[in-house]
Coordinates of all heavy atoms in Angstrom, one line a residue:
L53 N 24.1 -4.8 3.9 CA 22.9 -4.2 4.2 C 22.9 -3.6 5.6 O 23.5 -4.2 6.5 CB 21.8 -5.2 4.2 CG 21.2 -5.5 2.8 CD1 20.2 -6.7 2.9 CD2 20.5 -4.4 2.1
R54 N 22.2 -2.6 5.8 CA 22.2 -2.0 7.1 C 21.4 -2.8 8.1 O 21.8 -2.9 9.3 CB 21.6 -0.6 7.0 CG 21.7 0.3 8.2 CD 21.2 1.6 7.8 NE 22.0 2.6 8.5 CZ 21.7 3.8 8.5 NH1 20.6 4.3 7.9 NH2 22.4 4.7 9.2
L55 N 20.3 -3.4 7.7 CA 19.5 -4.2 8.6 C 20.2 -5.4 9.1 O 20.0 -5.9 10.2 CB 18.2 -4.7 7.8 CG 17.2 -3.6 7.5 CD1 16.1 -4.2 6.7 CD2 16.7 -2.9 8.7
A56 N 21.1 -6.0 8.4 CA 21.9 -7.2 8.8 C 22.8 -6.9 10.0 O 23.1 -7.8 10.8 CB 22.7 -7.7 7.6
S57 N 23.1 -5.6 10.2 CA 24.0 -5.3 11.3 C 23.3 -5.0 12.6 O 23.9 -4.8 13.6 CB 24.9 -4.1 10.9 OG 24.1 -2.9 10.7
L58 N 22.0 -4.9 12.5 CA 21.2 -4.6 13.7 C 21.1 -5.8 14.6 O 21.0 -7.0 14.1 CB 19.7 -4.2 13.3 CG 19.6 -2.9 12.6 CD1 18.1 -2.7 12.2 CD2 20.1 -1.7 13.4
P59 N 21.2 -5.7 15.9 CA 21.1 -6.8 16.8 C 19.7 -7.5 16.7 O 18.7 -6.8 16.5 CB 21.4 -6.3 18.2 CG 21.1 -4.8 18.0 CD 21.3 -4.4 16.6
K60 N 19.7 -8.8 16.8 CA 18.4 -9.5 16.8 C 17.7 -9.4 18.1 O 18.4 -9.3 19.2 CB 18.7 -11.0 16.5 CG 19.2 -11.3 15.1 CD 19.3 -12.8 14.9 CE 19.7 -13.0 13.5 NZ 19.6 -14.4 13.1
P61 N 16.4 -9.3 18.1 CA 15.7 -9.3 19.4 C 15.9 -10.6 20.2 O 16.2 -11.6 19.6 CB 14.2 -9.1 19.0 CG 14.2 -9.5 17.6 CD 15.5 -9.3 17.0
A62 N 15.7 -10.5 21.5 CA 15.8 -11.7 22.3 C 14.9 -12.8 21.9 O 13.7 -12.4 21.4 CB 15.6 -11.3 23.8
I63 N 15.3 -14.0 22.0 CA 14.4 -15.1 21.6 C 13.4 -15.4 22.7 O 13.8 -15.5 23.9 CB 15.3 -16.4 21.4 CG1 16.3 -16.2 20.3 CG2 14.4 -17.6 21.0 CD1 17.3 -17.3 20.1
S64 N 12.1 -15.5 22.3 CA 11.1 -15.8 23.3 C 11.3 -17.2 23.8 O 12.0 -18.1 23.2 CB 9.7 -15.7 22.7 OG 9.5 -16.7 21.8
H65 N 10.8 -17.5 25.0 CA 10.8 -18.8 25.6 C 10.3 -19.9 24.7 O 10.9 -21.0 24.5 CB 10.1 -18.8 26.9 CG 10.1 -20.1 27.7 ND1 11.2 -20.6 28.4 CD2 9.1 -21.0 27.9 CE1 10.9 -21.7 28.9 NE2 9.7 -22.0 28.6
E66 N 9.2 -19.6 24.0 CA 8.6 -20.6 23.1 C 9.5 -20.8 21.9 O 9.6 -22.0 21.5 CB 7.2 -20.1 22.6 CG 6.1 -20.0 23.7 CD 6.2 -18.8 24.6 OE1 7.0 -17.9 24.3 OE2 5.5 -18.8 25.6
N67 N 10.0 -19.8 21.3 CA 10.9 -19.9 20.2 C 12.2 -20.7 20.6 O 12.7 -21.5 19.8 CB 11.3 -18.6 19.6 CG 10.2 -18.1 18.6 OD1 9.2 -18.7 18.5 ND2 10.5 -17.1 17.9
L68 N 12.7 -20.5 21.7 CA 13.8 -21.2 22.2 C 13.6 -22.7 22.3 O 14.4 -23.5 21.8 CB 14.2 -20.6 23.6 CG 15.6 -21.0 24.1 CD1 16.7 -20.4 23.3 CD2 15.7 -20.6 25.6
I69 N 12.4 -23.0 22.8 CA 12.1 -24.5 22.8 C 11.8 -25.0 21.5 O 12.3 -26.1 21.1 CB 10.8 -24.7 23.8 CG1 11.2 -24.4 25.2 CG2 10.3 -26.1 23.6 CD1 10.1 -24.4 26.2
L70 N 11.0 -24.3 20.6 CA 10.8 -24.8 19.3 C 12.1 -25.0 18.5 O 12.3 -26.0 17.8 CB 9.8 -23.9 18.6 CG 8.4 -23.9 19.0 CD1 7.6 -22.7 18.4 CD2 7.7 -25.2 18.6
N71 N 12.9 -24.0 18.6 CA 14.2 -24.0 17.8 C 15.0 -25.2 18.3 O 15.7 -25.9 17.5 CB 15.0 -22.7 18.0 CG 14.4 -21.6 17.2 OD1 13.5 -21.8 16.4 ND2 14.8 -20.4 17.6
E72 N 15.0 -25.5 19.6 CA 15.8 -26.6 20.1 C 15.2 -28.0 19.6 O 16.0 -28.9 19.3 CB 15.9 -26.6 21.6 CG 16.9 -27.5 22.2 CD 18.3 -27.1 21.8 OE1 18.6 -26.0 21.5 OE2 19.2 -28.1 21.7
L73 N 13.9 -28.1 19.5 CA 13.3 -29.3 19.0 C 13.7 -29.5 17.5 O 14.0 -30.6 17.1 CB 11.8 -29.2 19.1 CG 11.2 -29.2 20.5 CD1 9.7 -29.0 20.5 CD2 11.5 -30.6 21.2
I74 N 13.7 -28.4 16.8 CA 14.1 -28.5 15.4 C 15.6 -28.8 15.2 O 15.9 -29.6 14.4 CB 13.7 -27.2 14.6 CG1 12.2 -27.0 14.6 CG2 14.3 -27.1 13.2 CD1 11.8 -25.6 14.2
R75 N 16.4 -28.2 16.1 CA 17.8 -28.5 16.0 C 18.1 -30.0 16.3 O 18.8 -30.7 15.6 CB 18.6 -27.7 17.1 CG 20.0 -28.1 17.1 CD 21.0 -27.3 17.9 NE 20.6 -26.5 19.0 CZ 21.4 -25.6 19.6 NH1 22.6 -25.4 19.1 NH2 21.0 -25.0 20.7
D76 N 17.4 -30.5 17.3 CA 17.5 -31.9 17.7 C 17.1 -32.8 16.5 O 17.8 -33.8 16.2 CB 16.6 -32.2 18.9 CG 16.7 -33.6 19.5 OD1 17.9 -34.1 19.5 OD2 15.7 -34.1 20.0
Y77 N 16.0 -32.5 15.8 CA 15.5 -33.2 14.7 C 16.5 -33.2 13.5 O 16.9 -34.2 12.9 CB 14.2 -32.6 14.2 CG 13.7 -33.2 12.9 CD1 13.1 -34.4 12.8 CD2 13.9 -32.4 11.7 CE1 12.6 -34.9 11.6 CE2 13.5 -32.9 10.5 CZ 12.8 -34.1 10.4 OH 12.4 -34.6 9.2
L78 N 17.0 -32.0 13.2 CA 18.0 -31.8 12.1 C 19.3 -32.6 12.4 O 19.8 -33.3 11.5 CB 18.4 -30.3 11.9 CG 17.3 -29.4 11.4 CD1 17.7 -28.0 11.4 CD2 16.8 -29.9 10.0
D79 N 19.7 -32.6 13.6 CA 21.0 -33.3 14.0 C 20.8 -34.8 13.9 O 21.6 -35.5 13.3 CB 21.4 -32.9 15.4 CG 22.7 -33.5 15.9 OD1 23.6 -33.5 15.0 OD2 22.8 -33.9 17.0
Y80 N 19.7 -35.3 14.4 CA 19.4 -36.7 14.4 C 19.3 -37.3 13.0 O 19.8 -38.3 12.7 CB 18.0 -37.0 15.1 CG 17.6 -38.4 15.0 CD1 18.1 -39.4 16.0 CD2 16.7 -38.9 14.1 CE1 17.7 -40.7 15.9 CE2 16.3 -40.2 14.0 CZ 16.8 -41.1 15.0 OH 16.4 -42.4 14.9
N81 N 18.7 -36.5 12.1 CA 18.6 -36.9 10.7 C 19.8 -36.6 9.8 O 19.7 -36.9 8.6 CB 17.3 -36.3 10.1 CG 16.1 -37.0 10.7 OD1 15.8 -38.2 10.3 ND2 15.4 -36.4 11.5
G82 N 20.8 -36.1 10.4 CA 22.1 -35.8 9.6 C 22.0 -34.6 8.7 O 22.8 -34.6 7.8
Y83 N 21.1 -33.7 8.9 CA 21.0 -32.5 8.1 C 22.0 -31.5 8.6 O 21.7 -30.4 9.1 CB 19.6 -32.0 8.1 CG 18.5 -32.9 7.6 CD1 17.3 -33.0 8.3 CD2 18.8 -33.8 6.6 CE1 16.3 -33.9 7.8 CE2 17.8 -34.7 6.1 CZ 16.6 -34.7 6.8 OH 15.6 -35.6 6.3
R84 N 23.3 -31.8 8.4 CA 24.4 -30.9 9.0 C 24.4 -29.5 8.3 O 24.6 -28.5 9.0 CB 25.7 -31.6 8.8 CG 25.8 -33.0 9.4 CD 25.9 -32.9 10.9 NE 26.1 -34.3 11.4 CZ 25.1 -34.9 12.1 NH1 24.0 -34.4 12.3 NH2 25.4 -36.1 12.6
H85 N 24.2 -29.5 7.0 CA 24.3 -28.1 6.4 C 23.1 -27.3 6.9 O 23.3 -26.1 7.2 CB 24.2 -28.2 4.9 CG 24.2 -26.9 4.2 ND1 25.3 -26.1 4.1 CD2 23.3 -26.3 3.5 CE1 25.0 -25.0 3.5 NE2 23.8 -25.1 3.1
S86 N 21.9 -27.8 6.9 CA 20.8 -27.1 7.4 C 21.0 -26.6 8.8 O 20.7 -25.5 9.2 CB 19.5 -28.0 7.3 OG 19.2 -28.3 6.0
L87 N 21.6 -27.5 9.6 CA 21.8 -27.2 11.0 C 22.9 -26.1 11.1 O 22.7 -25.2 12.0 CB 22.3 -28.4 11.7 CG 22.4 -28.4 13.2 CD1 21.1 -28.1 13.9 CD2 22.9 -29.8 13.7
S88 N 23.9 -26.1 10.3 CA 24.9 -25.0 10.3 C 24.4 -23.7 10.0 O 24.9 -22.7 10.4 CB 26.1 -25.4 9.4 OG 25.7 -25.2 8.0
V89 N 23.3 -23.6 9.2 CA 22.6 -22.4 8.9 C 21.6 -22.0 9.9 O 21.5 -20.9 10.3 CB 22.0 -22.4 7.5 CG1 21.2 -21.2 7.2 CG2 23.0 -22.7 6.4
F90 N 20.8 -23.0 10.4 CA 19.7 -22.8 11.3 C 20.1 -22.2 12.6 O 19.5 -21.2 13.0 CB 19.0 -24.2 11.5 CG 17.8 -24.1 12.5 CD1 16.6 -23.6 12.0 CD2 18.0 -24.5 13.8 CE1 15.5 -23.5 12.9 CE2 16.9 -24.4 14.6 CZ 15.7 -23.9 14.2
V91 N 21.1 -22.7 13.2 CA 21.5 -22.2 14.6 C 21.9 -20.8 14.6 O 21.4 -20.0 15.3 CB 22.6 -23.1 15.2 CG1 23.1 -22.6 16.5 CG2 22.0 -24.5 15.4
P92 N 22.9 -20.3 13.7 CA 23.2 -18.9 13.7 C 22.1 -18.0 13.3 O 21.9 -16.9 13.8 CB 24.4 -18.8 12.7 CG 24.8 -20.2 12.4 CD 23.7 -21.1 12.8
E93 N 21.3 -18.5 12.3 CA 20.2 -17.7 11.8 C 19.1 -17.4 12.8 O 18.5 -16.3 12.9 CB 19.6 -18.3 10.6 CG 18.7 -17.4 9.8 CD 18.3 -18.0 8.4 OE1 17.8 -19.2 8.4 OE2 18.5 -17.4 7.4
T94 N 18.9 -18.4 13.7 CA 17.8 -18.2 14.7 C 18.3 -17.5 15.9 O 17.5 -17.1 16.8 CB 17.2 -19.6 15.1 OG1 18.3 -20.4 15.6 CG2 16.6 -20.3 13.9
G95 N 19.6 -17.5 16.1 CA 20.2 -16.9 17.3 C 20.1 -17.8 18.5 O 20.3 -17.4 19.7
Q96 N 19.9 -19.1 18.2 CA 19.9 -20.1 19.2 C 21.2 -20.2 19.9 O 22.3 -20.1 19.3 CB 19.5 -21.5 18.6 CG 19.1 -22.5 19.6 CD 17.7 -22.3 20.1 OE1 17.0 -21.4 19.8 NE2 17.2 -23.2 20.9
P97 N 21.3 -20.3 21.2 CA 22.6 -20.5 21.9 C 23.4 -21.7 21.4 O 22.8 -22.7 21.0 CB 22.2 -20.7 23.4 CG 20.8 -20.3 23.5 CD 20.2 -20.4 22.2
A98 N 24.7 -21.5 21.3 CA 25.5 -22.6 20.8 C 25.4 -23.9 21.7 O 25.4 -25.0 21.2 CB 27.0 -22.2 20.8
E99 N 25.3 -23.7 23.0 CA 25.1 -24.8 23.9 C 23.7 -25.3 23.9 O 22.7 -24.5 23.9 CB 25.5 -24.4 25.3 CG 25.5 -25.6 26.3 CD 26.0 -25.2 27.6 OE1 26.9 -24.3 27.7 OE2 25.6 -25.8 28.6
R100 N 23.5 -26.6 23.7 CA 22.2 -27.2 23.6 C 21.5 -27.2 25.0 O 22.1 -27.2 26.0 CB 22.3 -28.7 23.2 CG 23.1 -28.7 21.8 CD 22.9 -29.8 21.0 NE 21.5 -30.1 20.7 CZ 21.2 -30.8 19.7 NH1 22.1 -31.4 18.9 NH2 19.9 -31.1 19.5
I101 N 20.2 -27.1 24.9 CA 19.3 -27.1 26.1 C 19.2 -28.5 26.5 O 19.0 -29.5 25.7 CB 17.9 -26.5 25.7 CG1 18.1 -25.0 25.3 CG2 17.0 -26.6 26.9 CD1 16.9 -24.3 24.8
N102 N 19.2 -28.7 27.8 CA 19.1 -30.1 28.4 C 17.8 -30.8 28.0 O 16.7 -30.2 28.1 CB 19.2 -29.9 29.9 CG 19.1 -31.2 30.6 OD1 18.1 -31.8 30.8 ND2 20.3 -31.7 31.1
R103 N 17.9 -32.0 27.5 CA 16.8 -32.8 27.1 C 15.8 -33.0 28.2 O 14.6 -32.9 27.9 CB 17.3 -34.1 26.5 CG 16.1 -34.9 25.9 CD 16.6 -36.3 25.5 NE 15.5 -37.1 25.0 CZ 15.3 -37.2 23.7 NH1 16.0 -36.7 22.7 NH2 14.2 -38.0 23.3
T104 N 16.2 -33.3 29.4 CA 15.3 -33.5 30.5 C 14.5 -32.2 30.8 O 13.3 -32.3 31.0 CB 16.1 -33.9 31.8 OG1 16.8 -35.1 31.5 CG2 15.2 -34.2 32.9
F105 N 15.1 -31.1 30.7 CA 14.5 -29.8 30.9 C 13.4 -29.6 29.9 O 12.2 -29.3 30.2 CB 15.4 -28.7 30.9 CG 14.8 -27.3 30.9 CD1 14.3 -26.8 32.1 CD2 14.7 -26.6 29.7 CE1 13.7 -25.5 32.0 CE2 14.0 -25.4 29.7 CZ 13.5 -24.8 30.9
L106 N 13.7 -29.9 28.6 CA 12.8 -29.7 27.5 C 11.6 -30.7 27.7 O 10.4 -30.2 27.5 CB 13.5 -30.0 26.2 CG 14.4 -28.9 25.6 CD1 15.1 -29.4 24.4 CD2 13.7 -27.7 25.3
S107 N 11.8 -31.9 28.0 CA 10.7 -32.9 28.1 C 9.8 -32.5 29.3 O 8.6 -32.6 29.2 CB 11.2 -34.3 28.2 OG 12.0 -34.5 29.4
Q108 N 10.4 -31.9 30.3 CA 9.6 -31.5 31.5 C 8.7 -30.3 31.1 O 7.6 -30.2 31.4 CB 10.4 -31.2 32.7 CG 11.0 -32.4 33.3 CD 12.0 -32.1 34.4 OE1 12.5 -31.0 34.6 NE2 12.4 -33.1 35.2
E109 N 9.4 -29.3 30.4 CA 8.7 -28.1 29.9 C 7.5 -28.5 29.0 O 6.4 -27.8 29.0 CB 9.6 -27.2 29.1 CG 10.5 -26.4 30.0 CD 9.8 -25.3 30.7 OE1 9.2 -24.4 30.1 OE2 9.9 -25.4 32.0
L110 N 7.6 -29.6 28.2 CA 6.6 -30.0 27.3 C 5.6 -31.0 27.9 O 4.7 -31.4 27.2 CB 7.2 -30.6 26.0 CG 8.1 -29.6 25.2 CD1 8.9 -30.3 24.2 CD2 7.2 -28.5 24.6
G111 N 5.9 -31.5 29.1 CA 5.0 -32.4 29.8 C 5.1 -33.8 29.1 O 4.1 -34.5 29.1
L112 N 6.3 -34.2 28.6 CA 6.5 -35.4 27.9 C 7.0 -36.5 28.9 O 7.9 -36.2 29.7 CB 7.4 -35.3 26.7 CG 7.0 -34.4 25.6 CD1 8.1 -34.2 24.6 CD2 5.8 -34.9 25.0
R113 N 6.5 -37.7 28.8 CA 7.1 -38.8 29.6 C 7.9 -39.6 28.6 O 7.4 -40.1 27.6 CB 6.0 -39.7 30.2 CG 5.3 -38.9 31.2 CD 4.3 -39.9 31.9 NE 3.2 -39.1 32.5 CZ 2.0 -39.5 32.7 NH1 1.7 -40.7 32.3 NH2 1.1 -38.7 33.2
E114 N 9.2 -39.8 29.0 CA 10.1 -40.6 28.1 C 10.4 -41.9 28.6 O 10.4 -42.1 29.8 CB 11.4 -39.8 27.9 CG 11.2 -38.5 27.1 CD 12.5 -38.1 26.5 OE1 13.2 -37.4 27.3 OE2 12.7 -38.4 25.3
D115 N 10.6 -42.9 27.7 CA 11.1 -44.2 28.1 C 12.4 -44.5 27.3 O 12.9 -43.6 26.6 CB 10.0 -45.3 27.9 CG 9.6 -45.3 26.4 OD1 10.4 -45.0 25.5 OD2 8.5 -45.8 26.2
G116 N 12.9 -45.7 27.5 CA 14.2 -46.0 26.8 C 14.1 -45.9 25.3 O 15.1 -45.5 24.7
N117 N 13.0 -46.2 24.7 CA 12.8 -46.1 23.3 C 12.8 -44.7 22.8 O 13.4 -44.3 21.8 CB 11.6 -46.9 22.8 CG 11.8 -48.4 22.9 OD1 12.9 -48.9 22.9 ND2 10.7 -49.1 23.1
S118 N 11.9 -43.9 23.5 CA 11.7 -42.5 23.1 C 13.0 -41.7 23.3 O 13.2 -40.7 22.5 CB 10.6 -41.8 23.8 OG 10.8 -41.7 25.2
R119 N 13.9 -42.0 24.2 CA 15.1 -41.3 24.4 C 16.1 -41.4 23.3 O 17.0 -40.7 23.2 CB 15.8 -41.7 25.7 CG 15.1 -41.2 26.9 CD 15.9 -41.5 28.2 NE 15.0 -41.2 29.4 CZ 14.3 -42.0 30.0 NH1 14.3 -43.3 29.6 NH2 13.5 -41.7 31.0
Q120 N 15.9 -42.4 22.4 CA 16.7 -42.7 21.3 C 16.4 -41.8 20.1 O 17.1 -41.7 19.1 CB 16.7 -44.1 20.8 CG 17.0 -45.1 21.9 CD 18.4 -44.9 22.5 OE1 19.3 -44.8 21.8 NE2 18.5 -44.9 23.8
L121 N 15.2 -41.1 20.2 CA 14.7 -40.3 19.1 C 14.6 -38.8 19.5 O 14.6 -38.5 20.7 CB 13.3 -40.8 18.7 CG 13.2 -42.2 18.2 CD1 11.7 -42.6 18.1 CD2 13.8 -42.3 16.8
P122 N 14.6 -37.9 18.5 CA 14.4 -36.5 18.8 C 13.1 -36.3 19.6 O 12.1 -37.0 19.4 CB 14.3 -35.8 17.5 CG 15.0 -36.8 16.5 CD 14.7 -38.1 17.1
L123 N 13.0 -35.3 20.5 CA 11.8 -35.0 21.2 C 10.6 -34.7 20.3 O 9.5 -34.9 20.7 CB 12.1 -33.9 22.2 CG 12.8 -34.3 23.5 CD1 13.1 -33.0 24.3 CD2 11.9 -35.2 24.3
L124 N 10.9 -34.2 19.2 CA 9.8 -33.8 18.2 C 9.0 -35.0 17.9 O 7.8 -34.9 17.7 CB 10.4 -33.2 17.0 CG 9.5 -32.3 16.1 CD1 8.8 -31.3 17.0 CD2 10.3 -31.6 15.1
Y125 N 9.6 -36.2 17.8 CA 8.9 -37.4 17.6 C 7.9 -37.8 18.8 O 6.8 -38.2 18.6 CB 9.8 -38.6 17.4 CG 10.5 -38.6 16.1 CD1 11.7 -37.9 15.9 CD2 10.0 -39.3 15.0 CE1 12.4 -37.9 14.7 CE2 10.7 -39.3 13.7 CZ 11.8 -38.6 13.6 OH 12.5 -38.6 12.4
S126 N 8.4 -37.5 20.0 CA 7.5 -37.7 21.2 C 6.4 -36.7 21.2 O 5.2 -37.1 21.5 CB 8.3 -37.5 22.5 OG 9.3 -38.5 22.6
V127 N 6.6 -35.5 20.8 CA 5.5 -34.5 20.7 C 4.5 -35.0 19.7 O 3.3 -35.0 19.9 CB 6.0 -33.1 20.2 CG1 4.9 -32.2 19.9 CG2 6.9 -32.6 21.3
L128 N 4.9 -35.5 18.5 CA 4.0 -36.0 17.5 C 3.2 -37.2 18.0 O 2.0 -37.3 17.8 CB 4.8 -36.3 16.2 CG 4.0 -36.9 15.1 CD1 2.9 -36.0 14.6 CD2 4.9 -37.3 13.9
S129 N 3.9 -38.1 18.6 CA 3.3 -39.3 19.2 C 2.2 -39.0 20.2 O 1.1 -39.5 20.2 CB 4.3 -40.2 19.8 OG 3.7 -41.3 20.4
Q130 N 2.5 -38.0 21.1 CA 1.5 -37.6 22.1 C 0.3 -37.0 21.4 O -0.8 -37.3 21.8 CB 2.2 -36.6 23.0 CG 1.3 -36.3 24.2 CD 2.0 -35.5 25.3 OE1 3.2 -35.5 25.4 NE2 1.2 -34.7 26.0
L131 N 0.5 -36.1 20.4 CA -0.6 -35.5 19.7 C -1.5 -36.6 19.0 O -2.7 -36.5 19.0 CB -0.1 -34.5 18.7 CG 0.5 -33.2 19.3 CD1 1.1 -32.3 18.3 CD2 -0.6 -32.4 20.1
Q132 N -0.8 -37.6 18.4 CA -1.6 -38.6 17.7 C -2.4 -39.4 18.7 O -3.5 -39.8 18.4 CB -0.6 -39.5 16.9 CG 0.0 -38.8 15.7 CD 1.0 -39.7 15.0 OE1 1.8 -40.4 15.7 NE2 1.1 -39.5 13.7
H133 N -1.8 -39.7 19.9 CA -2.6 -40.5 20.9 C -3.7 -39.7 21.5 O -4.7 -40.3 21.9 CB -1.6 -41.0 22.0 CG -0.8 -42.1 21.6 ND1 0.4 -42.0 20.9 CD2 -1.1 -43.5 21.6 CE1 0.9 -43.2 20.7 NE2 0.0 -44.1 21.1
Q134 N -3.6 -38.4 21.5 CA -4.7 -37.6 22.0 C -5.9 -37.6 21.1 O -7.1 -37.4 21.5 CB -4.3 -36.1 22.2 CG -3.4 -35.9 23.4 CD -2.9 -34.5 23.5 OE1 -3.1 -33.7 22.7 NE2 -2.1 -34.3 24.6
R135 N -5.7 -37.8 19.8 CA -6.8 -37.8 18.8 C -7.6 -39.1 18.9 O -8.7 -39.2 18.5 CB -6.2 -37.7 17.4 CG -5.7 -36.3 17.1 CD -5.2 -36.2 15.7 NE -6.0 -36.9 14.8 CZ -5.6 -37.1 13.5 NH1 -4.4 -36.7 13.1 NH2 -6.3 -37.8 12.7
T136 N -7.0 -40.2 19.5 CA -7.7 -41.5 19.5 C -8.4 -41.7 20.8 O -8.3 -41.1 21.8 CB -6.7 -42.6 19.2 OG1 -5.7 -42.6 20.2 CG2 -6.2 -42.5 17.9

């Protein structure tokens, strides 16, 4: 297809962060095939974004337990605590 050969537009800052959160989640849960398709399809850089940078961008505070899980879990936890 002709469209497939067109260069992809630059990834927005928000999409870059969201894609990295999803990549982290897929990797943690062992979804290797999904990950192998996700990264090239989204145009996400091959090198991972630093976790500390991501958590600072999202305003997340991490502890020893939360560092063992994908950041997406911390985002969910923070949203759940805001509701209560």
Side-chain angles (χ1 to χ4, degrees):
L53 280 171
R54 192 176 215 186
L55 293 176
S57 64
L58 295 174
K60 291 185 178 191
I63 301 173
S64 71
H65 180 73
E66 292 80 8
N67 275 7
L68 193 67
I69 290 173
L70 286 168
N71 289 345
E72 194 62 31
L73 291 173
I74 294 166
R75 175 172 29 191
D76 186 36
Y77 170 82
L78 292 173
D79 186 41
Y80 176 83
N81 286 289
Y83 301 142
R84 303 286 183 252
H85 178 71
S86 297
L87 191 57
S88 72
V89 173
F90 180 78
V91 173
E93 192 169 56
T94 61
Q96 195 75 359
E99 188 172 326
R100 302 202 56 160
I101 298 172
N102 180 281
R103 183 184 178 101
T104 302
F105 172 78
L106 286 173
S107 62
Q108 289 173 349
E109 283 289 298
L110 297 169
L112 299 173
R113 292 186 204 153
E114 292 199 278
D115 59 26
N117 292 333
S118 66
R119 283 187 193 95
Q120 304 301 314
L121 298 170
L123 279 172
L124 202 49
Y125 286 87
S126 294
V127 171
L128 178 61
S129 176
Q130 185 172 339
L131 289 171
Q132 288 173 327
H133 282 90
Q134 287 177 354
R135 288 181 38 194
T136 58

